[in-house]
Each structure stands twice: as structure tokens, then as C-alpha cells.
């Protein structure tokens, strides 16, 4: 019986084709690379063309480079060197670039320099295109933020508190030397009282050092420790103070920055499987979405979401020339200032405040029966009634400014006699008569938000938020592996996130 042999398909590696296939034939119909090509071809990129000068040698076409970058971010290829390789070896990239082979320096320069002033307009054109197709709404959005690690050393940090502590030590040391100089100086030296070292600068330090050296220079019987200390102060303090002032200028309103990316702030990030907080240099990325399409994005150096909303809304207005109709966001944005901003802009705010979720619990009232919001208010007499039925009379206003300069005003009410009250200790823990502070404007905003959030539309908005904006961050971080920026500096980080935003919208359109 003959031995059977396996049958294989023909394999001719060196076969010459009479009519070789085109790159277009090798790219599958409906492939995401075709969506990228179609979207970029249909939008206005005049702002990008304006980034090029008329004089000089010819350049790779910016439309081609933009397509390559966007498709790179769609397919998780973020490195300029990997993009260079893909342009030579990957059929999809070769189809996009028309067999042009830009090197990694060209790609990196295009991303970091050419797109600096043009990418925002490109992103806006993409959003307008998708809105015209009915895929998203520009006026009704869901807003949230996340922290993404910067491309910076985790251990080269500068802290504002450390600078302040060191400046206090310098002031104390100068004060001690000044007191010693007063004790040994002659009457004719005329050494005045020590300067105020609570707020010192380079000029004050230099003047103090010069004065001390002038007074103590001719003293032959100085304490050796004081002489050594004065030499150290003369040599080190003016230079150190100048360095502290440079760092404080970089810090601005922040509490920290990284030496390798001075725009990055140290933030607590929960990025391991145990969700343990780790301090890392990073940026707070804010986005607004509609139907899981990114409609707007902003980059912030501050770790909290509360102070980001104003700039975020202003960016939306600048981008699309129209105010928002509705915003839906979590309790991280529920501040008096934000409610005021949204009310002034006539934006319907489905934004939670801090205690909203707890107030939905049936046991909330039972857990805190003596809480401030449980007290009865007598509007005619402008007083609150304490749990024992006694009046808490108005005693004046208190004002404070937030870190953004927003002024909050609260009315203060004080009980008449808590010393002999049987509920003393259970009603409140403070010493003396109980004082409560009532921010009537914030209370009004909370009442308005409560009504909106618990309306039929508000319940739908709250449900939609959970699977509209939050999955976008999950998709970018988990599914596409982008957890750390590759570029340094806020401007370049904004470019990188803009490319990610365009890539997210293209992926969603292709889905």
C-alpha cells in the first residue's frame, strides 16, 4: 500500500508577480487606518500649514505626518523611533505615508514643535466633524479627571514646605549672629535692632551679611564658633536664598515640582493592584465626553479637580464659541465657586456636592441628629433653634478666600447657654457655647443641585456619567497601555494628550 504524504499549499518565495498588488489592496476594508485617513482628509488643517515657513528646503507634508502620528496613537505606537520603523515595515503606515519614510527626528520635531500651536485646532475640527455626523453633542457633556504620571524622575523633587522651613532656619541663624554682634559692638558702631526675618529675600540676606561683616570684621576677640558661622553664612546664604527664590517662582501656587519636569507636580496616584497611594510627578488631565467621544480636554498642575472646572469651561467656550447647556460631574467639582460659575454661564449643573450620596441613605438623619443642617431656622427672627429649643442668635459674618481668590461669606450663630445643657458633649464637642457657620449661598446651590440630581433627567444623567466619561480613561490607560507621558513640559504634554484624544475619537467612530 503506497505511503500517503501530507499536502501543502504552493510556496514560492521568489515568485515574480506580473501585476503586484497595491498597498491599497493589502489594507482591509473598514480598517481603523482608513478611518484615520478619511477623518484627516476631511478636516481643515490650515492652522497646521501656517506653522511652516515659505523659505527653506521642502518638508514632509504635514497632513501625512499627522496621519502617521494619529494612527500611531490609535494602534498604541507612541515612540518616535517605533513610528519610524513602522513607516518602513508596517503596511498600514506605508499606505498612509505613501511610501515616504520620515525618520524619528522628523516625527519628534513635528510632534513637539509644529503641533504646538496647531493641534488644538485640529482636535476641534475633528470634534465638529463628528458632531455634524450626529455622533456626539458639544453642548451636553460629562466631565471627569485623572492623574497621569509625567516623564520625570520620581526622586528629584522640590517641596514648598521644605523651602519655607529652610528660610526660617536661615532667618533664625542670622538673628542669633545679629544678637551676638549687638552684645560685643561698641556704642559708636550704632548697630540697630535686628531686621524682621519672618519674610526674607536675597536682598535682605545680603544686606544683613554685609552689615554683620562690617561690624565684626575688626573684632579680635570673637567667639570661634560665631566666626565660623559668619563665614558659612557669608559664603552660602545669599546664593541659597537666590536659589530658593528661583524655585518659588517655578512653584507658584503649587506645593511641589519635579526637577526633571518643572511643570509636573507630585500627586498621589493609585496605580497598583492594591490601590495604594504613591507620590509621583504627574499632571491632572480633565476631559469632557459625549457618547464616549472626547469633546474637550485641559491639562492642570494641581492634583484636585475642584479648581480645574473654570479653566475647563473657558476652554470649551474658546474652542466652540458656545456655552454648554449641561454638565454632569461627580462630587469633586461641587464647590460654591464652581456652582457660581455654572449659574453665571446658565449651565444646567448635574454636579454632586460632598454629602450628596450619603444624604440618599435612609439612616443619614439618624446618624447625626444634631448636625447643623438638622437645626430649625426661624427666618423672621434670623436665628436657629438648638436641639434643646433654645435660640442661637446671629453674631456676625466670617469671610475667607479660597486658593483661587474666591471669597466665601458665612453667617455665624451662637447658642446662649451650653454649660448647663443636658445635651452638652453630645450636641457638640467645642468648648463654651456652640457656634455654627452657615454659608447661605452654598446652601442655596446645594438645594438646587439636589433637586436637579434627583429629577428624572438627573437620575439618567448620573447613570450615564458612569459609562460615558469613566470608561474613556479606562480604555486609554488599561486597554491601550498609556499610563505615563513621553514628553516633558505642560505644552508638550498637552500635545500628547491631544493626540490621544483624537485617537480615542477615531477608535470610537471605527467601533
Amino acid at each position: 500500500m503506497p505511503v500517503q504524504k501530507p499536502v501543502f499549499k504552493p510556496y514560492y518565495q521568489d515568485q515574480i508577480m506580473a501585476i503586484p498588488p497595491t498597498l491599497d489592496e493589502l489594507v482591509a476594508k473598514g480598517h481603523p487606518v482608513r478611518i484615520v485617513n478619511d477623518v484627516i482628509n476631511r478636516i481643515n488643517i490650515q492652522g497646521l500649514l501656517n506653522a511652516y515657513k515659505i523659505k527653506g528646503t521642502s518638508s514632509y507634508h504635514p497632513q501625512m505626518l499627522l496621519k502617521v502620528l494619529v494612527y500611531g496613537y490609535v494602534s498604541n505606537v507612541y515612540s518616535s523611533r517605533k513610528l519610524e520603523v513602522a513607516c518602513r515595515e508596517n503596511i498600514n503606515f506605508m499606505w498612509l505615508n505613501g511610501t515616504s519614510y520620515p525618520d524619528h527626528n522628523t516625527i519628534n520635531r513635528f510632534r513637539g514643535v509644529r503641533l504646538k500651536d496647531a493641534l488644538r485646532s485640529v482636535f476641534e475640527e475633528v470634534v465638529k466633524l463628528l458632531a455634524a455626523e450626529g455622533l456626539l453633542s458639544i453642548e451636553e457633556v460629562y466631565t471627569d479627571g485623572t492623574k497621569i504620571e509625567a516623564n520625570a524622575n520620581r526622586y528629584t523633587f522640590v517641596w514648598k514646605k521644605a523651602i519655607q522651613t529652610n528660610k526660617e532656619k536661615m532667618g533664625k541663624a542670622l538673628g542669633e549672629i545679629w544678637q551676638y554682634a549687638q552684645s560685643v559692638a561698641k556704642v559708636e558702631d550704632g548697630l540697630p535692632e535686628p531686621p524682621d526675618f519672618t519674610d526674607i529675600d536675597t536682598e535682605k540676606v545680603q544686606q544683613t551679611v554685609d552689615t554683620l561683616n562690617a561690624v565684626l570684621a575688626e573684632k579680635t576677640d570673637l567667639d570661634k564658633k560665631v566666626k565660623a558661622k559668619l563665614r558659612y553664612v557669608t559664603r552660602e546664604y545669599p546664593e541659597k536664598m537666590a536659589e530658593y527664590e528661583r524655585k518659588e517662582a517655578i512653584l507658584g501656587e503649587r506645593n511641589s515640582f519635579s526637577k526633571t519636569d518643572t511643570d509636573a507636580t507630585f500627586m498621589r496616584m493609585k496605580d497598583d493592584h492594591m490601590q495604594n497611594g504613591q507620590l509621583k510627578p504627574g499632571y491632572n488631565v480633565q476631559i469632557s465626553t459625549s457618547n464616549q467621544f472626547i469633546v474637550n480636554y485641559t491639562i492642570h498642575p494641581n492634583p484636585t479637580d475642584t479648581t480645574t472646572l473654570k479653566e475647563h469651561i473657558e476652554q470649551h467656550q474658546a474652542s466652540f464659541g458656545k456655552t454648554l447647556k449641561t454638565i454632569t460631574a461627580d462630587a469633586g467639582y461641587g464647590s460654591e465657586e464652581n456652582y457660581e460659575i455654572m449659574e453665571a454661564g446658565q449651565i444646567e449643573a448635574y454636579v454632586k456636592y460632598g454629602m450628596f450620596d450619603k444624604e440618599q441613605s435612609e439612616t443619614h438623619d439618624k446618624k447625626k441628629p444634631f448636625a447643623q443642617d438638622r437645626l430649625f431656622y426661624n427666618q423672621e427672627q434670623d436665628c436657629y433653634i438648638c436641639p434643646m429649643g433654645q435660640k442661637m442668635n446671629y453674631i456676625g459674618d466670617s469671610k475667607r478666600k479660597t486658593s483661587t481668590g474666591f471669597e466665601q461669606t458665612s453667617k455665624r450663630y451662637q447658642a446662649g447657654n451650653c454649660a448647663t445643657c443636658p445635651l452638652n458633649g453630645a450636641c457638640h464637642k467645642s468648648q463654651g457655647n456652640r457656634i455654627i457657620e452657615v454659608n447661605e449661598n452654598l446652601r442655596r446651590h446645594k438645594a438646587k443641585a439636589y433637586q436637579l440630581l434627583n429629577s428624572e433627567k438627573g437620575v439618567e444623567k448620573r447613570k450615564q456619567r458612569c459609562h460615558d466619561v469613566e470608561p474613556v480613561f479606562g480604555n486609554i490607560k488599561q486597554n491601550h497601555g498609556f499610563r505615563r507621558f513621553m514628553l516633558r513640559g505642560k505644552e508638550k504634554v498637552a500635545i500628547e494628550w491631544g493626540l490621544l484624544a483624537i485617537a480615542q475619537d477615531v477608535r470610537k467612530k471605527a467601533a
Side-chain angles (χ1 to χ4, degrees):
M1 188 172 182
V3 178
Q4 292 185 344
K5 295 182 178 180
V7 180
F8 300 104
K9 294 183 183 295
Y11 173 61
Y12 305 110
Q13 187 177 3
D14 298 324
Q15 176 68 49
I16 298 176
M17 295 183 181
I19 304 177
T22 64
L23 289 173
D24 187 69
E25 292 173 324
L26 298 176
V27 176
K29 302 300 180 183
H31 194 280
V33 72
R34 293 189 179 275
I35 307 297
V36 171
N37 187 65
D38 176 63
V39 168
I40 302 301
N41 281 342
R42 291 167 62 191
I43 64 173
N44 180 8
I45 61 167
Q46 187 58 47
L48 179 56
L49 297 177
N50 293 338
Y52 287 80
K53 297 179 181 179
I54 297 176
K55 297 180 180 180
T57 186
S58 60
S59 304
Y60 285 103
H61 201 288
Q63 189 177 49
M64 178 272 289
L65 292 172
L66 180 61
K67 290 178 183 178
V68 167
L69 267 178
V70 171
Y71 183 64
Y73 278 75
V74 167
S75 54
N76 308 341
V77 183
Y78 308 118
S79 163
S80 58
R81 292 183 181 274
K82 290 182 179 179
L83 285 169
E84 177 187 357
V85 173
C87 284
R88 292 181 176 275
E89 299 178 357
N90 188 303
I91 290 173
N92 297 321
F93 281 93
M94 292 169 67
W95 176 72
L96 273 183
N97 63 33
T99 64
S100 296
Y101 305 120
D103 61 18
H104 66 275
N105 284 324
T106 301
I107 295 170
N108 208 33
R109 187 165 54 251
F110 175 77
R111 177 170 56 185
V113 179
R114 303 293 189 188
L115 287 179
K116 183 174 65 174
D117 299 320
L119 185 65
R120 172 65 70 169
S121 65
V122 172
F123 168 75
E124 291 164 2
E125 289 294 323
V126 172
V127 172
K128 291 174 185 176
L129 175 66
L130 298 175
E133 294 180 358
L135 296 174
L136 58 85
S137 169
I138 293 176
E139 297 177 338
E140 299 190 10
V141 299
Y142 302 84
T143 300
D144 202 1
T146 192
K147 300 178 184 70
I148 295 185
E149 186 178 353
N151 180 13
N153 191 314
R154 300 177 186 177
Y155 308 105
T156 56
F157 41 75
V158 175
W159 294 95
K160 177 182 283 187
K161 191 172 182 180
I163 292 176
Q164 292 172 346
T165 301
N166 289 335
K167 287 172 68 175
E168 289 173 4
K169 290 180 179 178
M170 291 171 66
K172 184 179 178 181
L174 289 170
E176 290 174 354
I177 300 175
W178 193 284
Q179 289 178 356
Y180 176 82
Q182 281 183 318
S183 67
V184 300
K186 297 178 181 178
V187 177
E188 58 269 18
D189 290 335
L191 192 64
E193 290 298 315
D196 182 12
F197 293 119
T198 55
D199 184 19
I200 60 176
D201 54 28
T202 305
E203 184 179 356
K204 185 180 288 187
V205 168
Q206 188 64 58
Q207 289 177 352
T208 303
V209 168
D210 292 342
T211 302
L212 289 172
N213 277 296
V215 172
L216 301 177
E218 297 180 358
K219 305 294 181 183
T220 57
D221 56 343
L222 288 181
D223 185 281
K224 291 183 179 180
K225 290 184 178 180
V226 174
K227 288 178 67 176
K229 198 171 187 179
L230 182 59
R231 284 197 301 270
Y232 177 80
V233 164
T234 304
R235 184 179 67 253
E236 299 289 339
Y237 277 17
E239 185 177 343
K240 282 185 177 294
M241 182 55 65
E243 180 186 346
Y244 291 152
E245 289 181 347
R246 288 194 298 270
K247 289 178 178 178
E248 285 178 328
I250 295 172
L251 280 166
E253 298 297 325
R254 296 181 293 161
N255 290 321
S256 63
F257 71 83
S258 171
K259 291 180 180 179
T260 45
D261 182 355
T262 55
D263 289 341
T265 307
F266 277 80
M267 307 178 182
R268 192 166 295 280
M269 302 185 187
K270 297 180 181 179
D271 58 356
D272 63 354
H273 66 287
M274 294 294 289
Q275 294 293 289
N276 293 322
Q278 299 181 29
L279 278 175
K280 296 179 181 178
Y283 293 91
N284 187 351
V285 179
Q286 297 288 312
I287 64 170
S288 291
T289 66
S290 174
N291 195 25
Q292 295 187 0
F293 289 92
I294 298 179
V295 178
N296 183 27
Y297 67 89
T298 49
I299 310 295
H300 305 266
N302 48 299
T304 56
D305 293 336
T306 311
T307 57
T308 63
L309 190 61
K310 181 180 179 181
E311 183 182 336
H312 195 70
I313 292 174
E314 289 173 350
Q315 178 61 63
H316 188 99
Q317 171 73 23
S319 295
F320 305 109
K322 59 177 70 175
T323 56
L324 290 160
K325 287 185 177 178
T326 68
I327 286 182
T328 307
D330 62 18
Y333 302 87
S335 68
E336 181 185 359
E337 181 179 7
N338 288 340
Y339 285 130
E340 284 282 311
I341 291 168
M342 290 182 284
E343 185 176 70
Q346 298 182 336
I347 302 171
E348 206 167 56
Y350 296 93
V351 179
K352 295 179 182 179
Y353 48 88
M355 295 294 292
F356 176 80
D357 288 329
K358 290 186 177 180
E359 288 178 2
Q360 308 309 302
S361 171
E362 295 180 357
T363 60
H364 174 67
D365 292 346
K366 298 178 182 179
K367 288 182 178 179
K368 296 184 177 181
F370 305 125
Q372 177 181 309
D373 55 355
R374 304 269 77 84
L375 302 179
F376 175 76
Y377 175 65
N378 186 322
Q379 189 170 4
E380 293 181 358
Q381 300 181 19
D382 189 19
C383 69
Y384 281 83
I385 307 301
C386 81
M388 284 300 292
Q390 302 299 317
K391 289 183 179 180
M392 301 182 70
N393 295 312
Y394 170 71
I395 60 172
D397 293 343
S398 68
K399 295 185 178 183
R400 61 177 293 268
K401 283 190 176 182
T402 65
S403 59
T404 59
F406 180 76
E407 189 174 89
Q408 296 177 318
T409 303
S410 298
K411 299 179 71 175
R412 304 178 80 238
Y413 297 84
Q414 186 173 31
N417 184 17
C418 292
T420 59
C421 178
L423 293 178
N424 191 0
C427 176
H428 67 103
K429 304 294 183 183
S430 59
Q431 297 292 328
N433 294 331
R434 182 181 182 183
I435 297 176
I436 61 172
E437 292 189 0
V438 180
N439 187 330
E440 292 184 342
N441 188 43
L442 179 58
R443 178 170 284 191
R444 177 182 65 83
H445 283 302
K446 285 183 176 181
K448 182 180 177 181
Y450 186 89
Q451 293 296 325
L452 281 173
L453 289 164
N454 282 304
S455 66
E456 185 177 346
K457 183 179 179 181
V459 172
E460 288 299 316
K461 289 282 187 183
R462 283 156 54 193
K463 290 179 180 178
Q464 177 69 16
R465 189 192 70 82
C466 296
H467 53 82
D468 198 298
V469 63
E470 292 180 0
V472 173
F473 285 131
N475 185 44
I476 291 173
K477 285 184 171 182
Q478 302 299 327
N479 298 339
H480 295 279
F482 193 92
R483 298 184 183 88
R484 191 171 190 255
F485 287 111
M486 299 182 66
L487 306 181
R488 293 179 177 178
K490 186 179 177 182
E491 282 189 350
K492 291 186 177 181
V493 162
I495 294 171
E496 202 165 2
W497 187 261
L499 290 168
L500 284 165
I502 296 172
Q504 166 65 21
D505 290 352
V506 170
R507 279 195 297 260
K508 184 64 180 174
K509 177 178 169 61

